[in-house]
Amino acid sequence: MLVIRRDLVEAVVEHARRDHPDEACGVIAGPERDRPERFVPMLNAARSPTFYEFESGDLLRLYREMDANDEVPSVIYHSHTATEAYPSRTDVSYAGEPDAHYVLVSTREPDSHEFRSYRIVDGQITEEPVTVVESYESSPGE
Amino acid sequence: MAITVSIPTILRTHTGGEKSVEASGATLAEVIDSLESNHGGLKARLVKDGTLHRFVNIYVNDEDVRFAGGLEAKVADGDNVTILPAVAGGSR
């Protein structure tokens, strides 16, 4: 299950809307896998409605920053702008963080959005429920 | 002095969970062969048909090796090699 703060969900959806019809992408870093805290929108180097890619220099800087902060990529998100919020074959083939929550947002409808989360491990997609909260109750590790 | 190689989470099954391992070599290809001799199975995750796999990004210090000769990129003692999973995908 993904438990995520409302302001983070709103930030992801806003980013997806802003970049529509191109795909938007980014991460939410946190001290542990189940604690998404720091919203990090990334530039889609592909600037494409059907593909996204973190630029390689940005990717290195992001991982160095997370290392320095003792963070992990809790959520890796991107948008689908004309199809449903379900991982494509391309998404699965690139999924390189077995511990992350892969969030997909669909912006195909102008007035409503889908916000769904998956684990992708060894090519297997498992959808997980998303619980939106106002704030996290306990400190990490409690 | 050796070359320090950072291993991403997804490949740590090949390094007994180690985040960082040592290797040697004067080119990236040699470094990968040296990794393979100590951590079997890694090479196949990095190289396909004689070129770097598109699902990984490899850096020598701060430079993406794709812009520095790929497998022929020069590596020297004391350098840091960082392997990261590419973060990419798309609806098609």
Side-chain angles (χ1 to χ4, degrees):
Chain A
M1 176 164 77
L2 171 64
V3 178
I4 183 169
R5 280 196 335 244
R6 184 176 308 279
D7 61 300
L8 294 170
V9 172
E10 286 167 359
V12 168
V13 172
E14 256 170 52
H15 183 203
R17 286 283 178 216
R18 195 162 64 237
D19 285 10
H20 185 93
D22 286 347
E23 294 194 5
C25 56
V27 306
I28 306 175
E32 56 192 50
R33 182 169 79 78
D34 290 323
R35 189 82 178 187
E37 288 190 343
R38 189 167 66 90
F39 175 66
V40 190
M42 300 291 287
L43 194 71
N44 177 2
R47 294 173 194 278
S48 157
T50 55
F51 194 72
Y52 81 95
E53 183 170 31
F54 290 10
E55 192 274 321
S56 84
D58 291 350
L59 180 75
L60 181 64
R61 278 187 292 278
L62 170 70
Y63 272 80
R64 291 230 169 117
E65 208 176 270
M66 289 194 296
D67 246 10
N69 294 345
D70 264 331
E71 291 172 321
V72 297
S74 168
V75 167
I76 298 175
Y77 72 86
H78 77 282
S79 61
H80 284 177
T81 58
T83 56
E84 73 170 321
Y86 190 83
S88 67
R89 243 199 288 185
T90 315
D91 292 334
V92 174
S93 62
Y94 274 100
E97 286 290 355
D99 294 334
H101 301 276
Y102 280 90
V103 162
L104 274 102
V105 176
S106 174
T107 54
R108 65 179 163 174
E109 302 291 342
D111 306 321
S112 63
H113 62 264
E114 286 175 79
F115 184 103
R116 294 164 70 180
S117 182
Y118 307 85
R119 303 291 303 285
I120 306 176
V121 182
D122 293 333
Q124 294 297 310
I125 303 169
T126 311
E127 183 159 15
E128 57 183 4
V130 176
T131 301
V132 179
V133 296
E134 298 307 321
S135 64
Y136 302 130
E137 283 173 8
S138 57
S139 303
E142 276 179 25
Chain B
M1 233 170 28
I3 291 148
T4 307
V5 184
S6 304
I7 306 290
T9 309
I10 196 166
L11 298 182
R12 286 180 202 156
T13 47
H14 298 284
T15 60
E18 291 295 323
K19 269 180 86 162
S20 166
V21 297
E22 294 201 335
S24 58
T27 62
L28 181 61
E30 290 178 15
V31 168
I32 290 174
D33 284 336
S34 138
L35 283 176
E36 177 69 17
S37 63
N38 292 316
H39 311 283
L42 261 183
K43 185 175 180 174
R45 305 291 296 273
L46 304 176
V47 179
K48 192 184 176 191
D49 302 330
T51 58
L52 283 176
H53 213 298
R54 67 192 167 105
F55 302 126
V56 290
N57 286 15
I58 302 183
Y59 307 84
V60 174
N61 301 321
D62 287 343
E63 186 158 32
D64 186 331
V65 298
R66 283 198 178 85
F67 311 116
L71 286 168
E72 297 314 309
K74 296 275 179 282
V75 186
D77 274 359
D79 279 350
N80 289 296
V81 172
T82 304
I83 304 171
L84 291 177
V87 182
S91 54
R92 223 174 262 162

PDB file of all heavy atoms in Angstrom, chain B residues 8-29:
ATOM      1  N   PRO B   8      23.835  -0.085  -8.040  1.00  0.00           N
ATOM      2  CA  PRO B   8      22.460   0.276  -7.678  1.00  0.00           C
ATOM      3  C   PRO B   8      21.735  -0.884  -6.984  1.00  0.00           C
ATOM      4  O   PRO B   8      22.117  -2.043  -7.160  1.00  0.00           O
ATOM      5  CB  PRO B   8      21.808   0.593  -9.028  1.00  0.00           C
ATOM      6  CG  PRO B   8      22.559  -0.245 -10.007  1.00  0.00           C
ATOM      7  CD  PRO B   8      23.977  -0.339  -9.491  1.00  0.00           C
ATOM      8  N   THR B   9      20.697  -0.548  -6.239  1.00  0.00           N
ATOM      9  CA  THR B   9      19.923  -1.548  -5.477  1.00  0.00           C
ATOM     10  C   THR B   9      19.621  -2.797  -6.305  1.00  0.00           C
ATOM     11  O   THR B   9      19.822  -3.920  -5.848  1.00  0.00           O
ATOM     12  CB  THR B   9      18.575  -0.928  -5.026  1.00  0.00           C
ATOM     13  OG1 THR B   9      18.850   0.311  -4.395  1.00  0.00           O
ATOM     14  CG2 THR B   9      17.838  -1.839  -4.062  1.00  0.00           C
ATOM     15  N   ILE B  10      19.146  -2.579  -7.529  1.00  0.00           N
ATOM     16  CA  ILE B  10      18.659  -3.712  -8.324  1.00  0.00           C
ATOM     17  C   ILE B  10      19.769  -4.707  -8.693  1.00  0.00           C
ATOM     18  O   ILE B  10      19.495  -5.859  -8.990  1.00  0.00           O
ATOM     19  CB  ILE B  10      17.917  -3.203  -9.589  1.00  0.00           C
ATOM     20  CG1 ILE B  10      17.086  -4.331 -10.208  1.00  0.00           C
ATOM     21  CG2 ILE B  10      18.864  -2.578 -10.582  1.00  0.00           C
ATOM     22  CD1 ILE B  10      16.081  -3.855 -11.234  1.00  0.00           C
ATOM     23  N   LEU B  11      21.032  -4.271  -8.643  1.00  0.00           N
ATOM     24  CA  LEU B  11      22.133  -5.178  -9.005  1.00  0.00           C
ATOM     25  C   LEU B  11      22.888  -5.697  -7.786  1.00  0.00           C
ATOM     26  O   LEU B  11      23.863  -6.443  -7.922  1.00  0.00           O
ATOM     27  CB  LEU B  11      23.114  -4.469  -9.956  1.00  0.00           C
ATOM     28  CG  LEU B  11      22.520  -4.033 -11.300  1.00  0.00           C
ATOM     29  CD1 LEU B  11      23.594  -3.390 -12.175  1.00  0.00           C
ATOM     30  CD2 LEU B  11      21.898  -5.213 -12.041  1.00  0.00           C
ATOM     31  N   ARG B  12      22.446  -5.321  -6.590  1.00  0.00           N
ATOM     32  CA  ARG B  12      23.206  -5.717  -5.391  1.00  0.00           C
ATOM     33  C   ARG B  12      23.067  -7.189  -5.064  1.00  0.00           C
ATOM     34  O   ARG B  12      23.827  -7.711  -4.252  1.00  0.00           O
ATOM     35  CB  ARG B  12      22.805  -4.841  -4.188  1.00  0.00           C
ATOM     36  CG  ARG B  12      23.382  -3.448  -4.322  1.00  0.00           C
ATOM     37  CD  ARG B  12      23.031  -2.521  -3.167  1.00  0.00           C
ATOM     38  NE  ARG B  12      23.177  -1.136  -3.631  1.00  0.00           N
ATOM     39  CZ  ARG B  12      22.561  -0.094  -3.114  1.00  0.00           C
ATOM     40  NH1 ARG B  12      21.738  -0.260  -2.073  1.00  0.00           N
ATOM     41  NH2 ARG B  12      22.747   1.113  -3.619  1.00  0.00           N
ATOM     42  N   THR B  13      22.104  -7.866  -5.702  1.00  0.00           N
ATOM     43  CA  THR B  13      22.027  -9.327  -5.540  1.00  0.00           C
ATOM     44  C   THR B  13      23.322  -9.975  -6.042  1.00  0.00           C
ATOM     45  O   THR B  13      23.685 -11.051  -5.602  1.00  0.00           O
ATOM     46  CB  THR B  13      20.857  -9.919  -6.352  1.00  0.00           C
ATOM     47  OG1 THR B  13      20.896  -9.366  -7.664  1.00  0.00           O
ATOM     48  CG2 THR B  13      19.513  -9.604  -5.708  1.00  0.00           C
ATOM     49  N   HIS B  14      24.001  -9.287  -6.970  1.00  0.00           N
ATOM     50  CA  HIS B  14      25.247  -9.844  -7.526  1.00  0.00           C
ATOM     51  C   HIS B  14      26.457  -9.519  -6.661  1.00  0.00           C
ATOM     52  O   HIS B  14      27.533 -10.064  -6.875  1.00  0.00           O
ATOM     53  CB  HIS B  14      25.484  -9.307  -8.940  1.00  0.00           C
ATOM     54  CG  HIS B  14      24.402  -9.687  -9.911  1.00  0.00           C
ATOM     55  ND1 HIS B  14      24.287 -10.938 -10.460  1.00  0.00           N
ATOM     56  CD2 HIS B  14      23.359  -8.966 -10.398  1.00  0.00           C
ATOM     57  CE1 HIS B  14      23.230 -10.975 -11.262  1.00  0.00           C
ATOM     58  NE2 HIS B  14      22.653  -9.802 -11.235  1.00  0.00           N
ATOM     59  N   THR B  15      26.310  -8.595  -5.722  1.00  0.00           N
ATOM     60  CA  THR B  15      27.473  -8.180  -4.919  1.00  0.00           C
ATOM     61  C   THR B  15      27.263  -8.503  -3.438  1.00  0.00           C
ATOM     62  O   THR B  15      27.876  -7.883  -2.568  1.00  0.00           O
ATOM     63  CB  THR B  15      27.745  -6.662  -5.072  1.00  0.00           C
ATOM     64  OG1 THR B  15      26.582  -5.934  -4.624  1.00  0.00           O
ATOM     65  CG2 THR B  15      28.058  -6.275  -6.496  1.00  0.00           C
ATOM     66  N   GLY B  16      26.379  -9.441  -3.160  1.00  0.00           N
ATOM     67  CA  GLY B  16      26.110  -9.799  -1.771  1.00  0.00           C
ATOM     68  C   GLY B  16      25.577  -8.627  -0.970  1.00  0.00           C
ATOM     69  O   GLY B  16      25.824  -8.516   0.236  1.00  0.00           O
ATOM     70  N   GLY B  17      24.855  -7.723  -1.650  1.00  0.00           N
ATOM     71  CA  GLY B  17      24.244  -6.591  -0.953  1.00  0.00           C
ATOM     72  C   GLY B  17      25.146  -5.370  -0.845  1.00  0.00           C
ATOM     73  O   GLY B  17      24.715  -4.330  -0.368  1.00  0.00           O
ATOM     74  N   GLU B  18      26.402  -5.479  -1.321  1.00  0.00           N
ATOM     75  CA  GLU B  18      27.333  -4.336  -1.199  1.00  0.00           C
ATOM     76  C   GLU B  18      26.920  -3.190  -2.120  1.00  0.00           C
ATOM     77  O   GLU B  18      26.607  -3.392  -3.286  1.00  0.00           O
ATOM     78  CB  GLU B  18      28.764  -4.767  -1.568  1.00  0.00           C
ATOM     79  CG  GLU B  18      29.398  -5.710  -0.568  1.00  0.00           C
ATOM     80  CD  GLU B  18      29.611  -5.067   0.798  1.00  0.00           C
ATOM     81  OE1 GLU B  18      29.941  -3.863   0.847  1.00  0.00           O
ATOM     82  OE2 GLU B  18      29.421  -5.768   1.810  1.00  0.00           O
ATOM     83  N   LYS B  19      26.954  -1.955  -1.581  1.00  0.00           N
ATOM     84  CA  LYS B  19      26.633  -0.745  -2.333  1.00  0.00           C
ATOM     85  C   LYS B  19      27.774  -0.319  -3.223  1.00  0.00           C
ATOM     86  O   LYS B  19      27.611   0.403  -4.192  1.00  0.00           O
ATOM     87  CB  LYS B  19      26.417   0.417  -1.348  1.00  0.00           C
ATOM     88  CG  LYS B  19      25.016   0.606  -0.878  1.00  0.00           C
ATOM     89  CD  LYS B  19      24.949   1.792   0.079  1.00  0.00           C
ATOM     90  CE  LYS B  19      24.769   3.114  -0.651  1.00  0.00           C
ATOM     91  NZ  LYS B  19      24.281   4.191   0.250  1.00  0.00           N
ATOM     92  N   SER B  20      28.973  -0.709  -2.817  1.00  0.00           N
ATOM     93  CA  SER B  20      30.152  -0.203  -3.494  1.00  0.00           C
ATOM     94  C   SER B  20      31.215  -1.306  -3.484  1.00  0.00           C
ATOM     95  O   SER B  20      31.426  -1.941  -2.446  1.00  0.00           O
ATOM     96  CB  SER B  20      30.591   1.045  -2.729  1.00  0.00           C
ATOM     97  OG  SER B  20      31.865   1.414  -3.098  1.00  0.00           O
ATOM     98  N   VAL B  21      31.813  -1.562  -4.636  1.00  0.00           N
ATOM     99  CA  VAL B  21      32.842  -2.601  -4.714  1.00  0.00           C
ATOM    100  C   VAL B  21      34.056  -2.042  -5.461  1.00  0.00           C
ATOM    101  O   VAL B  21      33.969  -0.998  -6.101  1.00  0.00           O
ATOM    102  CB  VAL B  21      32.315  -3.871  -5.431  1.00  0.00           C
ATOM    103  CG1 VAL B  21      31.168  -4.500  -4.659  1.00  0.00           C
ATOM    104  CG2 VAL B  21      31.880  -3.569  -6.856  1.00  0.00           C
ATOM    105  N   GLU B  22      35.168  -2.760  -5.378  1.00  0.00           N
ATOM    106  CA  GLU B  22      36.368  -2.304  -6.075  1.00  0.00           C
ATOM    107  C   GLU B  22      36.588  -3.128  -7.325  1.00  0.00           C
ATOM    108  O   GLU B  22      36.200  -4.295  -7.398  1.00  0.00           O
ATOM    109  CB  GLU B  22      37.577  -2.400  -5.140  1.00  0.00           C
ATOM    110  CG  GLU B  22      37.438  -1.420  -3.985  1.00  0.00           C
ATOM    111  CD  GLU B  22      38.763  -1.087  -3.334  1.00  0.00           C
ATOM    112  OE1 GLU B  22      39.693  -1.917  -3.432  1.00  0.00           O
ATOM    113  OE2 GLU B  22      38.856   0.007  -2.744  1.00  0.00           O
ATOM    114  N   ALA B  23      37.211  -2.499  -8.307  1.00  0.00           N
ATOM    115  CA  ALA B  23      37.508  -3.178  -9.564  1.00  0.00           C
ATOM    116  C   ALA B  23      38.792  -2.577 -10.117  1.00  0.00           C
ATOM    117  O   ALA B  23      39.342  -1.634  -9.544  1.00  0.00           O
ATOM    118  CB  ALA B  23      36.354  -2.990 -10.545  1.00  0.00           C
ATOM    119  N   SER B  24      39.256  -3.152 -11.245  1.00  0.00           N
ATOM    120  CA  SER B  24      40.445  -2.588 -11.873  1.00  0.00           C
ATOM    121  C   SER B  24      40.262  -2.605 -13.386  1.00  0.00           C
ATOM    122  O   SER B  24      39.365  -3.274 -13.906  1.00  0.00           O
ATOM    123  CB  SER B  24      41.684  -3.393 -11.474  1.00  0.00           C
ATOM    124  OG  SER B  24      41.500  -4.735 -11.868  1.00  0.00           O
ATOM    125  N   GLY B  25      41.120  -1.866 -14.078  1.00  0.00           N
ATOM    126  CA  GLY B  25      41.045  -1.824 -15.535  1.00  0.00           C
ATOM    127  C   GLY B  25      41.350  -0.431 -16.046  1.00  0.00           C
ATOM    128  O   GLY B  25      41.240   0.544 -15.298  1.00  0.00           O
ATOM    129  N   ALA B  26      41.734  -0.356 -17.327  1.00  0.00           N
ATOM    130  CA  ALA B  26      42.074   0.933 -17.915  1.00  0.00           C
ATOM    131  C   ALA B  26      40.942   1.473 -18.775  1.00  0.00           C
ATOM    132  O   ALA B  26      40.940   2.641 -19.163  1.00  0.00           O
ATOM    133  CB  ALA B  26      43.337   0.797 -18.762  1.00  0.00           C
ATOM    134  N   THR B  27      39.966   0.601 -19.084  1.00  0.00           N
ATOM    135  CA  THR B  27      38.785   1.047 -19.831  1.00  0.00           C
ATOM    136  C   THR B  27      37.557   0.512 -19.103  1.00  0.00           C
ATOM    137  O   THR B  27      37.661  -0.399 -18.275  1.00  0.00           O
ATOM    138  CB  THR B  27      38.752   0.469 -21.269  1.00  0.00           C
ATOM    139  OG1 THR B  27      38.686  -0.962 -21.164  1.00  0.00           O
ATOM    140  CG2 THR B  27      39.968   0.877 -22.080  1.00  0.00           C
ATOM    141  N   LEU B  28      36.405   1.054 -19.437  1.00  0.00           N
ATOM    142  CA  LEU B  28      35.179   0.582 -18.798  1.00  0.00           C
ATOM    143  C   LEU B  28      34.977  -0.914 -19.070  1.00  0.00           C
ATOM    144  O   LEU B  28      34.563  -1.665 -18.176  1.00  0.00           O
ATOM    145  CB  LEU B  28      33.976   1.390 -19.298  1.00  0.00           C
ATOM    146  CG  LEU B  28      32.647   0.986 -18.665  1.00  0.00           C
ATOM    147  CD1 LEU B  28      32.655   1.197 -17.157  1.00  0.00           C
ATOM    148  CD2 LEU B  28      31.503   1.755 -19.311  1.00  0.00           C
ATOM    149  N   ALA B  29      35.291  -1.357 -20.297  1.00  0.00           N
ATOM    150  CA  ALA B  29      35.136  -2.785 -20.630  1.00  0.00           C
ATOM    151  C   ALA B  29      35.974  -3.643 -19.681  1.00  0.00           C
ATOM    152  O   ALA B  29      35.507  -4.679 -19.193  1.00  0.00           O
ATOM    153  CB  ALA B  29      35.536  -3.030 -22.087  1.00  0.00           C
TER     154      ALA B  29
END
